[in-house]
Amino acid sequence: MDVLIHLFVGLHIIGIAALLGGFLTQMKAMGQGTARFVPGMLHGALTMLVTGVALVGLDQADGHHVNNIKIGVKLALLIVILGLVYVKRDEERIDKGIFGLVGLLTMANIFIAVLWT
Protein backbone atom coordinates (compact mmCIF):
# COMPACT_ATOMS: atom_id res chain seq x y z
CA MET A 1 0.00 0.00 0.00
CA ASP A 2 2.87 2.37 0.78
CA VAL A 3 4.26 2.00 -2.75
CA LEU A 4 0.88 2.93 -4.21
CA ILE A 5 0.57 5.94 -1.90
CA HIS A 6 4.07 7.12 -2.85
CA LEU A 7 3.24 6.69 -6.52
CA PHE A 8 0.16 8.90 -6.17
CA VAL A 9 2.11 11.48 -4.15
CA GLY A 10 4.63 11.65 -7.00
CA LEU A 11 1.85 12.08 -9.55
CA HIS A 12 0.24 14.74 -7.34
CA ILE A 13 3.54 16.65 -7.28
CA ILE A 14 3.79 16.38 -11.08
CA GLY A 15 0.29 17.88 -11.31
CA ILE A 16 1.18 20.83 -9.07
CA ALA A 17 4.39 21.31 -11.04
CA ALA A 18 2.44 21.48 -14.30
CA LEU A 19 -0.02 23.99 -12.86
CA LEU A 20 2.58 26.20 -11.21
CA GLY A 21 5.02 25.83 -14.12
CA GLY A 22 2.37 26.95 -16.59
CA PHE A 23 1.67 29.96 -14.41
CA LEU A 24 5.34 30.87 -14.04
CA THR A 25 6.02 30.59 -17.77
CA GLN A 26 3.24 33.13 -18.40
CA MET A 27 4.45 35.68 -15.82
CA LYS A 28 6.24 37.82 -18.39
CA ALA A 29 3.18 37.74 -20.63
CA MET A 30 1.03 38.70 -17.64
CA GLY A 31 3.10 41.85 -17.26
CA GLN A 32 2.45 42.65 -20.92
CA GLY A 33 -1.27 41.84 -20.63
CA THR A 34 -1.11 38.84 -22.99
CA ALA A 35 -1.12 35.96 -20.50
CA ARG A 36 -3.28 32.93 -21.21
CA PHE A 37 -3.99 29.63 -19.52
CA VAL A 38 -1.89 26.99 -21.24
CA PRO A 39 -3.23 23.42 -21.57
CA GLY A 40 -0.66 22.13 -19.08
CA MET A 41 -2.29 24.21 -16.36
CA LEU A 42 -5.65 22.52 -16.88
CA HIS A 43 -4.07 19.08 -17.10
CA GLY A 44 -2.02 19.74 -13.96
CA ALA A 45 -5.09 20.84 -12.00
CA LEU A 46 -7.05 17.79 -13.14
CA THR A 47 -4.12 15.54 -12.21
CA MET A 48 -4.05 17.14 -8.77
CA LEU A 49 -7.78 16.54 -8.33
CA VAL A 50 -7.71 12.88 -9.35
CA THR A 51 -4.55 12.00 -7.43
CA GLY A 52 -5.66 14.00 -4.38
CA VAL A 53 -8.95 12.11 -4.17
CA ALA A 54 -7.07 8.83 -4.63
CA LEU A 55 -4.60 9.77 -1.89
CA VAL A 56 -7.36 10.54 0.60
CA GLY A 57 -8.99 7.19 -0.16
CA LEU A 58 -5.72 5.29 0.07
CA ASP A 59 -4.75 6.99 3.33
CA GLN A 60 -8.10 6.17 4.90
CA ALA A 61 -7.93 2.59 3.63
CA ASP A 62 -4.46 2.26 5.15
CA GLY A 63 -5.77 3.40 8.53
CA HIS A 64 -4.14 6.85 8.58
CA HIS A 65 -5.93 9.82 10.09
CA VAL A 66 -7.01 12.32 7.42
CA ASN A 67 -7.51 15.97 8.38
CA ASN A 68 -10.85 16.53 6.65
CA ILE A 69 -10.82 20.30 7.19
CA LYS A 70 -7.42 20.64 5.53
CA ILE A 71 -8.49 18.43 2.64
CA GLY A 72 -11.73 20.40 2.28
CA VAL A 73 -9.88 23.73 2.12
CA LYS A 74 -7.42 22.35 -0.44
CA LEU A 75 -10.28 20.90 -2.49
CA ALA A 76 -12.19 24.19 -2.43
CA LEU A 77 -9.12 26.09 -3.66
CA LEU A 78 -8.51 23.53 -6.38
CA ILE A 79 -12.12 23.68 -7.57
CA VAL A 80 -11.86 27.47 -7.89
CA ILE A 81 -8.59 27.07 -9.81
CA LEU A 82 -10.10 24.40 -12.06
CA GLY A 83 -13.20 26.49 -12.69
CA LEU A 84 -11.22 29.58 -13.68
CA VAL A 85 -8.76 27.70 -15.88
CA TYR A 86 -11.48 25.63 -17.55
CA VAL A 87 -13.81 28.53 -18.31
CA LYS A 88 -11.04 30.85 -19.56
CA ARG A 89 -8.88 28.21 -21.32
CA ASP A 90 -9.78 29.28 -24.88
CA GLU A 91 -9.37 33.03 -24.37
CA GLU A 92 -6.35 34.64 -25.99
CA ARG A 93 -5.84 37.10 -23.14
CA ILE A 94 -6.66 36.67 -19.49
CA ASP A 95 -7.20 39.58 -17.12
CA LYS A 96 -4.16 40.10 -14.88
CA GLY A 97 -6.29 39.84 -11.74
CA ILE A 98 -7.78 36.46 -12.67
CA PHE A 99 -4.43 35.11 -13.82
CA GLY A 100 -2.73 36.33 -10.65
CA LEU A 101 -5.52 34.83 -8.54
CA VAL A 102 -4.88 31.40 -10.06
CA GLY A 103 -1.18 31.69 -9.21
CA LEU A 104 -1.94 32.90 -5.70
CA LEU A 105 -4.42 30.09 -5.06
CA THR A 106 -1.95 27.54 -6.42
CA MET A 107 0.78 28.75 -4.08
CA ALA A 108 -1.69 28.87 -1.18
CA ASN A 109 -2.58 25.24 -1.91
CA ILE A 110 1.11 24.30 -1.78
CA PHE A 111 1.70 26.11 1.51
CA ILE A 112 -1.40 24.56 3.06
CA ALA A 113 -0.17 21.11 2.05
CA VAL A 114 3.28 21.70 3.51
CA LEU A 115 2.64 23.84 6.59
CA TRP A 116 -0.76 22.71 7.89
CA THR A 117 -0.01 19.78 10.19
Side-chain angles (χ1 to χ4, degrees), residues 4-14 51 55:
L4 194 57
I5 290 173
H6 291 306
L7 174 71
F8 276 100
V9 167
L11 291 172
H12 196 69
I13 291 171
I14 289 171
T51 58
L55 281 168

Side-chain angles (χ1 to χ4, degrees), residues 20-34:
L20 187 62
F23 173 78
L24 292 175
T25 59
Q26 293 288 307
M27 287 282 293
K28 184 176 179 183
M30 184 176 82
Q32 298 169 349
T34 60

Side-chain angles (χ1 to χ4, degrees), residues 4-100:
L4 194 57
I5 290 173
H6 291 306
L7 174 71
F8 276 100
V9 167
L11 291 172
H12 196 69
I13 291 171
I14 289 171
I16 194 76
L19 179 59
L20 187 62
F23 173 78
L24 292 175
T25 59
Q26 293 288 307
M27 287 282 293
K28 184 176 179 183
M30 184 176 82
Q32 298 169 349
T34 60
R36 57 186 297 268
F37 291 130
V38 295
M41 293 175 74
L42 178 62
H43 298 154
L46 287 170
T47 300
M48 286 177 58
L49 179 64
V50 171
T51 58
V53 169
L55 281 168
V56 169
L58 288 171
D59 275 349
Q60 287 182 339
D62 202 24
H64 295 124
H65 170 72
V66 176
N67 186 340
N68 290 321
I69 296 172
K70 174 183 174 180
I71 298 302
V73 170
K74 287 179 56 58
L75 180 62
L77 292 176
L78 184 57
I79 287 173
V80 171
I81 293 168
L82 260 171
L84 289 171
V85 173
Y86 185 77
V87 168
K88 303 281 189 178
R89 72 188 184 282
D90 291 331
E91 293 185 16
E92 286 297 320
R93 294 176 185 215
I94 305 297
D95 180 57
K96 289 180 185 181
I98 292 174
F99 195 80

